[in-house]
Amino acid sequence: MRRLVISILTFIVLFKPGLQAQERTINVHHLNSSGGLADGIIRSIGQDKYGYIWMGSLSGLSRFNGYDVKVFQNDPQSEHGIPFGQVASIYGDKAGNLWIGFNHGLYQYDYRSSDFIPVDTLSGMSVNRIMEKSNGELVLGTGKGIAIFNPAQKKLSYIKDRVRIGKEFMQRAIADYCLLNDKLYMATDSGIIIYNLQTDAVQNIAPSMLPSARINRISIGNKGTIWASFTGKNEFIFKTDTTFQSYEISPQHFRIITGQGNPISEIFIDSREHMWCGVVLMGLFEYDPQTRNITRHRHKPAEFNSLSINHFNTLFEDRSGFIWIGTEGYGADYFHPGRNFFTTIMPGNDVRMPFLTFWSRIMLEDNAGNTWMGWGEGLEKRNRNDTTFIRNREGETAVLHSNSIRSLTEDFNGDIWIGTSSGVNRYDKTTGKTVFYDNKDSLPRRFVWDILRDSYNNIWFGFNRGLCYRDGKDMKIHPVSSHPVLGKLKLEGVHTLFEDSRKRLWIGANGAGLTMYDPANSQTRQWRRQPGKDSTLVGNTITSITEDKDGIIWISSFIGIVSYDPVKDVFRQFTRLQGLPSVKTSCLRVDDRNRLWIGSTSGLIMLDSSRSYFKQFDLQDGLPVMEFNDQESIRLQDGRFVFPSIKGFVVFDPASYVESEANLDFYLSSIKVHGKELPGTINNEEIQSLSLRHNQNFFSFEMAALNYMNAHQTWYAYKLEGFDKEWIYTKDRVVNYTNVPGGKYKFYYKATPDPNNWNVAQKYLVINIGTVFYKTAWFWIITALLIATLMYLYYRNRIRQQQQMHSLQTKAQLLEKEKALVMYENLKQQLNPHFLFNSLTSLSSLIRLDQKVAGEFLDSLGKTYRYILKNRESELVPLQEELKFTDTYVRLQRTRFEKGLEVVQHIEEEYYHRKIAPVTLQNLVENAIKHNIIDEESPLKIIIYTEEDHVVVRNNLQRKNYVESSNRQGLQNLQSLYSYLSNRPVIIEEDKDFFTVKIPLL
């Protein structure tokens, strides 16, 4: 009894009157009919063996993979289509089967055919809950009571028929029930009934210390912790265990939040043993057994990542720890309670003047532990106990130059300097009042972008037009024009101020670039981007400046960011070309791992320490909005970062950020050929090989990794081995291949949420693509054999033809030779009648005139015929002999023509041994004499010489009009003869002055 009292008192202290449950940000994702659900009234949620989430609604089933939804609805044309009616329950058992309970039957989903197979024994009966025994049997909540179904034997039995004390059991109204270790815990109107499904033993629990035994909701954790609610004047909740030896009751806390019209809708215990309690119209309450804290989660209209509504139908936890909530009309909400990286701070409740905008500007954590938040509508001071608002109110004395707060800093006295859109104020911590500054104090009434206190206790005030400072020594405020170093520079509007680790002051201007002031060396430098010229900066409006662990200065602007190495004096630009998701950047901050965090208009961006990869965070990661304010972020004393956005301050701990678990469940969710889904006997998730015809070589795959935290941040890698040379990395999960040649391939693929970590599991699909018959190996083998046979036959026929041709050519050559010899013989014989007649005529005249000369003439005539008789059987003679013969012949002709004939020989001795056909030169000389006029006044000049391996006979051209005894066959016969003797032709040339014949030397 003492243990019971202590437990009760402890729980009463925990839920003491008036204590409001804490609220913390959770990153809630929303899925509704606009995202593809069949409808928004979700009554049941489950998960199949692959990890897909199934949601049952009034009009059908929806399957979600993190990207898109596949809807199953009533189809009269399908043999096993989903029946018409409400989906009341969904359960994936340990064997991998998926069971769907409708309001008039139980169905099993066939993964292969995507059909729903009805269970005949439960036809027409509502199945509103499905659980599983240790032996694989299903425990079903039906319209006729709780039943046990054996899937293998298709047998069904009801508990009411098995319980030995069935009459008493039947009289109980069962409101809720749960299962643990084959024991069924049932909430009834008169306590808790425990039914052992193995032994049929029944135990009644009706605790006397409870004000009422009417149990409404019950849930049990894996460690045996039981949470249940009961109804008294209001609804209460209690905690116990399977021994029921002690109870912790919470009457005070839940008396506040429950009552008529807002009962407890569901109690659920997750894998971490956290208890979740849904209260109609009040939201979702989370109890942490370690800290004994209650956190309230509810719908907040101004926060995108809060719950969609405060009314829930069902709660479900998937295998990766996500909590899924089925709502009444708003679809499904889901979140991971342990992965809430971002927290959003919104303005406190100022009842005197509610905030109309949540635009955050600047935050400051002072030395006293207070948090100062500058909003678009005032200044808020928070501490552990209360919240104070400092803002101008209509009809009251002004406390600020303007409610638009732009900058904050704390001086060494603990006073807070406040920069507004219309001037500078100072909050005096001693008096608790604000002080105004204006032109008489050297602080003009202008827009104050930034205020900075440096290491020398100087306070710098950056205005939209100009710069002022309060000297840390004399505590007086001065315009920058009076500064001994900076006064020499032209400083226009200032947007941001920063002091680096070497105490150098960096001044970012509004449209005028960057200025650096080194107080230790009294030096300054300025940089400005010049249009059309090579520049160090990407933009002249500097929004933020910071320094990383390596001493590199980082500068953000409206056109991207740049890094500057002061040691090397080198700038490096980062824009969209380098992968920066948004060029409008601000709020730079470096964490302890040297990663750069960047606020932008496309969410929060992180640049990794290697400066090679940008990580983008968006609404799905828990951000309240995608656009950050172009001012300063801060680091809190506990290491958390605070980034101002247009919808509250975004707070996160960069040290706690690690990429999600790299090993995701991933599958091929779709296989298409020529744009159409490929039918098959195996569902896509389990297919291991694929056979395609040769004309099916245009195909695509759709990959799906189950990353419910932020599916669109998942990276994929794939490679078609044998086609792709390298891995392809992308966020696009659709892969297209066109005109892939026939053959065997392996399609490798993998997925990760962290593109820097590809040490993850990979899968592959074997793809066999048929080859067109004329591209197959057997076709080419047969073709090669056929070609080889044809080539052999052709070769044999060719050899036979060549042999015949060779025989014919031999015969032809012999005939040609005989013909040539005949023609040449005729050529030589031509010398006899003509030459003999002319010679005898000349000799007759010489005998009468000069017997001595006649004797010499007769001697030459004899030598001529002797040469012909000597070589009549010879094909070739040395050129030297032919020249001598020609010389003898020419002497005979000179006797006849005297000075009318001139024959000159210019033959080098090196050609004397070369061969020539007999009487060739004599015939050419005779041919020249025959066809040309010979006269002493215009003598015929014949020149015989060598040229390029030829002997040339050339005469001047003085052609006769008529030539006796000419058959015009002499030169043709000579050409025919040499075509037989040599492959070099006889060349005959004629122009207006000369006639030339070139005989090849052999």
Side-chain angles (χ1 to χ4, degrees):
M1 184 67 181
R2 181 183 178 189
R3 181 181 176 188
L4 173 63
V5 172
I6 292 175
S7 297
I8 294 175
L9 291 177
T10 302
F11 216 63
I12 290 175
V13 171
L14 174 65
F15 297 107
K16 64 183 180 181
L19 178 64
Q20 296 295 319
Q22 305 177 54
E23 294 189 12
R24 65 180 175 88
T25 301
I26 56 173
N27 179 23
V28 180
H29 304 263
H30 309 288
L31 183 65
N32 49 42
S33 56
S34 64
L37 291 181
D39 61 79
I41 301 176
I42 304 300
R43 297 288 173 83
S44 56
I45 302 175
Q47 187 174 27
D48 65 17
K49 62 181 179 180
Y50 301 116
Y52 298 137
I53 300 298
W54 292 72
M55 286 160 275
S57 61
L58 294 181
S59 63
L61 268 169
S62 302
R63 188 184 72 181
F64 182 52
N65 62 9
Y67 294 94
D68 45 41
V69 176
K70 183 176 182 179
V71 175
F72 302 85
Q73 291 179 308
N74 180 258
D75 183 4
Q77 297 181 354
S78 175
E79 182 181 355
H80 299 297
I82 184 173
F84 180 77
Q86 176 182 334
V87 181
S89 55
I90 303 172
Y91 183 74
D93 66 19
K94 290 179 290 187
N97 302 306
L98 183 66
W99 302 92
I100 315 294
F102 291 86
N103 55 2
H104 48 70
L106 178 68
Y107 286 71
Q108 181 181 359
Y109 178 66
D110 188 337
Y111 292 99
R112 181 185 60 185
S113 63
S114 294
D115 280 340
F116 297 86
I117 313 301
V119 177
D120 296 335
T121 53
L122 287 159
S123 178
M125 188 182 305
S126 65
V127 179
N128 50 51
R129 186 169 300 187
I130 308 173
M131 298 176 290
E132 186 177 7
K133 290 175 60 179
S134 58
N135 64 357
E137 291 182 327
L138 300 182
V139 181
L140 307 176
T142 76
K144 294 182 179 181
I146 301 175
I148 306 299
F149 175 67
N150 188 312
Q153 301 175 0
K154 306 296 182 182
K155 290 184 178 181
L156 182 73
S157 61
Y158 290 93
I159 291 177
K160 64 182 180 181
D161 299 330
R162 299 172 59 181
V163 178
R164 290 190 295 268
I165 49 175
K167 183 178 290 186
E168 179 183 353
F169 182 80
M170 283 290 293
Q171 292 175 350
R172 303 286 184 91
I174 301 175
D176 197 10
Y177 47 90
C178 55
L179 182 67
L180 179 67
N181 298 328
D182 290 342
K183 290 183 178 180
L184 196 62
Y185 296 79
M186 295 174 281
T188 74
D189 56 356
S190 56
I192 299 174
I193 295 178
I194 305 173
Y195 172 60
N196 191 317
L197 296 172
Q198 293 181 347
T199 65
D200 287 341
V202 178
Q203 181 181 1
N204 293 282
I205 306 296
S208 59
M209 69 288 301
L210 296 180
S212 171
R214 183 179 177 182
I215 309 300
N216 300 319
R217 294 286 181 266
I218 188 169
S219 182
I220 187 166
N222 293 328
K223 295 182 179 180
T225 302
I226 296 175
W227 286 86
S229 69
F230 65 92
T231 301
K233 184 177 180 181
N234 293 90
E235 194 167 7
F236 302 90
I237 197 166
F238 68 91
K239 175 186 177 185
T240 184
D241 57 32
T242 54
T243 66
F244 296 97
Q245 295 299 310
S246 63
Y247 293 79
E248 293 178 339
I249 309 173
S250 58
Q252 301 297 331
H253 178 69
F254 282 95
R255 180 179 299 165
I256 298 171
I257 64 173
T258 66
Q260 186 176 5
N262 57 336
I264 295 174
S265 59
E266 186 158 354
I267 296 175
F268 173 75
I269 302 174
D270 68 17
S271 57
R272 302 177 303 158
E273 294 296 316
H274 284 218
M275 186 274 291
W276 300 82
C277 178
V279 180
V280 176
L281 303 182
M282 298 300 294
L284 186 63
F285 293 82
E286 176 190 2
Y287 174 73
D288 185 344
Q290 299 296 324
T291 63
R292 299 178 67 84
N293 289 331
I294 287 182
T295 302
R296 182 185 181 189
H297 308 287
R298 60 189 176 91
H299 171 63
K300 300 176 183 178
E303 297 185 21
F304 168 81
N305 57 354
S306 69
L307 297 175
S308 297
I309 192 175
N310 292 328
H311 184 192
F312 317 119
N313 291 325
T314 184
L315 294 175
F316 172 77
E317 182 184 20
D318 70 17
R319 292 192 291 271
S320 58
F322 277 84
I323 304 295
W324 297 78
I325 304 172
T327 74
E328 189 72 11
Y330 289 81
D333 288 349
Y334 60 101
F335 62 91
H336 196 295
R339 298 181 187 175
N340 298 294
F341 184 54
F342 299 108
T343 300
T344 303
I345 299 177
M346 304 297 285
N349 184 20
D350 186 3
V351 295
R352 294 179 58 192
M353 192 173 104
F355 277 68
L356 299 178
T357 177
F358 304 124
W359 197 314
S360 61
R361 305 293 193 186
I362 187 68
M363 182 182 287
L364 170 69
E365 188 178 31
D366 67 19
N367 293 325
N370 301 307
T371 301
W372 299 79
M373 287 173 281
W375 301 94
E377 292 188 71
L379 180 64
E380 182 181 359
K381 175 187 176 184
R382 292 189 190 182
N383 55 33
R384 295 181 179 178
N385 300 317
D386 58 19
T387 296
T388 302
F389 292 95
I390 302 173
R391 55 197 302 210
N392 296 329
R393 306 175 190 276
E394 188 175 355
E396 298 182 11
T397 303
V399 293
L400 296 168
H401 282 300
S402 168
N403 278 341
S404 180
I405 310 302
R406 295 291 176 165
S407 52
L408 297 169
T409 196
E410 182 183 16
D411 65 19
F412 66 93
N413 288 324
D415 291 347
I416 306 300
W417 292 81
I418 308 162
T420 76
S421 61
S422 300
V424 177
N425 292 100
R426 177 174 59 86
Y427 176 81
D428 190 321
K429 72 171 185 176
T430 303
T431 64
K433 296 181 178 181
T434 54
V435 179
F436 286 78
Y437 291 85
D438 53 26
N439 292 329
K440 69 179 186 304
D441 305 301
S442 296
L443 289 175
R445 292 286 304 277
R446 296 176 184 167
F447 195 108
V448 185
W449 272 109
D450 201 4
I451 303 177
L452 172 71
R453 175 189 168 195
D454 67 17
S455 300
Y456 301 99
N457 281 327
N458 301 312
I459 298 180
W460 299 86
F461 303 90
F463 295 90
N464 62 336
R465 288 182 291 119
L467 178 66
C468 298
Y469 69 99
R470 191 183 79 159
D471 194 299
K473 296 179 181 178
D474 61 16
M475 300 301 170
K476 294 182 179 180
I477 300 173
H478 308 276
V480 73
S481 58
S482 64
H483 193 276
V485 179
L486 291 173
K488 301 176 183 179
L489 303 178
K490 182 180 179 181
L491 294 174
E492 300 178 9
V494 175
H495 194 114
T496 185
L497 298 163
F498 174 74
E499 184 184 34
D500 67 16
S501 58
R502 296 180 60 183
K503 300 181 181 180
R504 293 173 296 196
L505 179 66
W506 297 82
I507 305 168
N510 264 330
L514 180 67
T515 299
M516 186 274 293
Y517 165 51
D518 185 353
N521 299 308
S522 297
Q523 294 178 345
T524 61
R525 285 194 67 180
Q526 288 186 300
W527 297 269
R528 185 166 183 169
R529 181 184 182 221
Q530 299 293 332
K533 296 182 180 180
D534 186 19
S535 174
T536 54
L537 300 176
V538 293
N540 286 324
T541 297
I542 309 300
T543 57
S544 181
I545 306 171
T546 194
E547 180 182 14
D548 68 17
K549 303 299 180 183
D550 300 321
I552 305 299
I553 304 299
W554 292 85
I555 305 105
S556 64
S557 71
F558 289 164
I559 316 179
I561 60 175
V562 295
S563 66
Y564 173 63
D565 187 337
V567 176
K568 298 180 180 179
D569 193 23
V570 174
F571 282 82
R572 181 183 177 187
Q573 299 180 349
F574 293 84
T575 63
R576 290 194 186 276
L577 294 176
Q578 289 75 37
L580 184 64
S582 173
V583 294
K584 188 176 184 295
T585 54
S586 59
C587 309
L588 299 181
R589 187 65 49 181
V590 175
D591 65 18
D592 293 336
R593 293 170 60 183
N594 207 26
R595 299 175 297 187
L596 179 68
W597 298 81
I598 309 161
S600 77
T601 54
S602 297
L604 184 68
I605 302 168
M606 182 199 72
L607 178 59
D608 71 337
S609 56
S610 68
R611 308 303 184 232
S612 59
Y613 162 65
F614 288 99
K615 164 70 176 179
Q616 183 181 10
F617 299 87
D618 56 23
L619 299 177
Q620 296 298 315
D621 294 300
L623 294 179
V625 71
M626 292 292 286
E627 184 168 356
F628 285 86
N629 192 10
D630 54 340
Q631 290 187 241
E632 296 296 330
S633 60
I634 70 163
R635 177 176 179 144
L636 299 176
Q637 295 175 9
D638 61 6
R640 291 181 297 163
F641 287 178
V642 181
F643 277 58
S645 77
I646 64 173
K647 203 171 185 180
F649 289 100
V650 177
V651 185
F652 62 96
D653 182 5
S656 68
Y657 174 71
V658 292
E659 290 286 356
S660 302
E661 183 181 354
N663 287 311
L664 301 170
D665 290 329
F666 61 100
Y667 309 98
L668 292 180
S669 59
S670 175
I671 301 175
K672 294 182 179 180
V673 176
H674 291 290
K676 295 182 179 180
E677 197 72 32
L678 183 70
T681 58
I682 302 176
N683 52 302
N684 294 328
E685 289 79 8
E686 294 185 2
I687 191 169
Q688 295 181 344
S689 63
L690 185 64
S691 294
L692 301 174
R693 298 188 301 273
H694 72 272
N695 59 350
Q696 293 181 313
N697 59 349
F698 287 69
F699 51 87
S700 66
F701 304 114
E702 183 179 84
M703 301 173 288
L706 302 186
N707 180 9
Y708 293 116
M709 182 61 70
N710 193 339
H712 297 282
Q713 294 286 4
T714 304
W715 284 80
Y716 294 91
Y718 64 88
K719 178 177 68 172
L720 185 60
E721 189 176 68
F723 188 83
D724 296 323
K725 294 181 179 179
E726 303 289 341
W727 281 88
I728 299 170
Y729 301 90
T730 178
K731 280 188 177 181
D732 188 354
R733 62 195 185 99
V734 178
V735 182
N736 292 290
Y737 286 100
T738 60
N739 201 25
V740 180
K744 185 176 182 179
Y745 303 90
K746 278 188 177 181
F747 178 70
Y748 289 92
Y749 59 105
K750 51 188 176 180
T752 179
D754 181 5
N756 289 322
N757 178 18
W758 286 104
N759 185 26
V760 295
Q762 67 181 25
K763 297 180 180 180
Y764 69 85
L765 173 68
V766 177
I767 305 173
N768 291 291
I769 303 176
T771 305
V772 184
F773 74 92
Y774 55 80
K775 293 184 179 180
T776 59
W778 61 264
F779 173 81
W780 284 110
I781 291 173
I782 293 176
T783 302
L785 292 174
L786 181 60
I787 292 174
T789 302
L790 292 175
M791 290 181 65
Y792 175 74
L793 294 175
Y794 174 79
Y795 173 76
R796 290 293 303 273
N797 184 58
R798 184 67 175 170
I799 291 297
R800 188 163 50 250
Q801 289 179 345
Q802 287 181 347
Q803 289 175 346
Q804 293 176 353
M805 183 66 68
H806 180 71
S807 176
L808 292 175
Q809 286 178 345
T810 302
K811 293 179 180 179
Q813 287 177 353
L814 291 175
L815 292 173
E816 187 70 24
K817 179 179 179 182
E818 291 178 2
K819 177 182 176 182
L821 291 176
V822 169
M823 289 189 299
Y824 183 60
E825 188 63 27
N826 291 334
L827 184 64
K828 291 190 288 182
Q829 292 300 324
Q830 289 178 8
L831 179 65
N832 296 331
H834 305 293
F835 176 69
L836 182 58
F837 176 77
N838 293 329
S839 298
L840 292 176
T841 301
S842 298
L843 179 61
S844 175
S845 299
L846 289 173
I847 291 174
R848 291 193 306 268
L849 299 175
D850 189 343
Q851 293 183 357
K852 181 180 179 182
V853 174
E856 293 174 357
F857 181 88
L858 183 60
D859 181 60
S860 296
L861 182 61
K863 290 180 180 179
T864 299
Y865 277 96
R866 191 183 302 113
Y867 176 81
I868 294 173
L869 293 173
K870 177 182 177 182
N871 295 297
R872 62 184 303 173
E873 301 298 331
S874 301
E875 288 186 358
L876 299 173
V877 295
L879 178 61
Q880 185 178 14
E881 291 185 10
E882 179 69 10
L883 290 172
K884 290 180 180 179
F885 167 67
T886 303
D887 186 60
T888 302
Y889 174 76
V890 169
R891 283 200 300 272
L892 291 173
Q893 295 296 343
R894 280 200 186 112
T895 304
R896 177 183 174 192
F897 299 108
E898 297 181 350
K899 294 182 180 181
L901 177 64
E902 296 180 8
V903 179
V904 180
Q905 294 184 11
H906 296 292
I907 305 296
E908 292 83 354
E909 291 184 3
E910 60 182 290
Y911 291 100
Y912 281 175
H913 68 284
R914 303 293 291 275
K915 300 299 176 97
I916 192 171
V919 303
T920 297
L921 297 181
Q922 179 271 332
N923 272 293
L924 292 177
V925 172
E926 182 183 17
N927 187 68
I929 294 172
K930 183 189 303 182
H931 291 275
N932 290 278
I933 298 171
I934 301 176
D935 191 282
E936 290 185 1
E937 294 182 358
S938 54
L940 175 65
K941 297 180 180 179
I942 301 173
I943 304 175
I944 302 174
Y945 61 94
T946 54
E947 180 184 273
E948 296 180 355
D949 221 24
H950 286 76
V951 59
V952 182
V953 179
R954 172 179 290 181
N955 63 273
N956 57 327
L957 199 59
Q958 38 194 31
R959 192 181 296 277
K960 294 179 180 179
N961 293 329
Y962 173 75
V963 179
E964 293 185 25
S965 69
S966 176
N967 57 12
R968 303 184 181 275
Q969 296 296 316
L971 291 179
Q972 291 183 9
N973 293 340
L974 188 65
Q975 286 178 317
S976 299
L977 174 64
Y978 271 89
S979 66
Y980 164 73
L981 296 176
S982 173
N983 57 1
R984 291 180 295 159
V986 172
I987 300 172
I988 300 173
E989 298 175 347
E990 181 179 350
D991 56 24
K992 64 179 182 177
D993 296 319
F994 298 100
F995 184 83
T996 306
V997 179
K998 297 180 180 180
I999 304 298
L1001 291 174
L1002 307 175

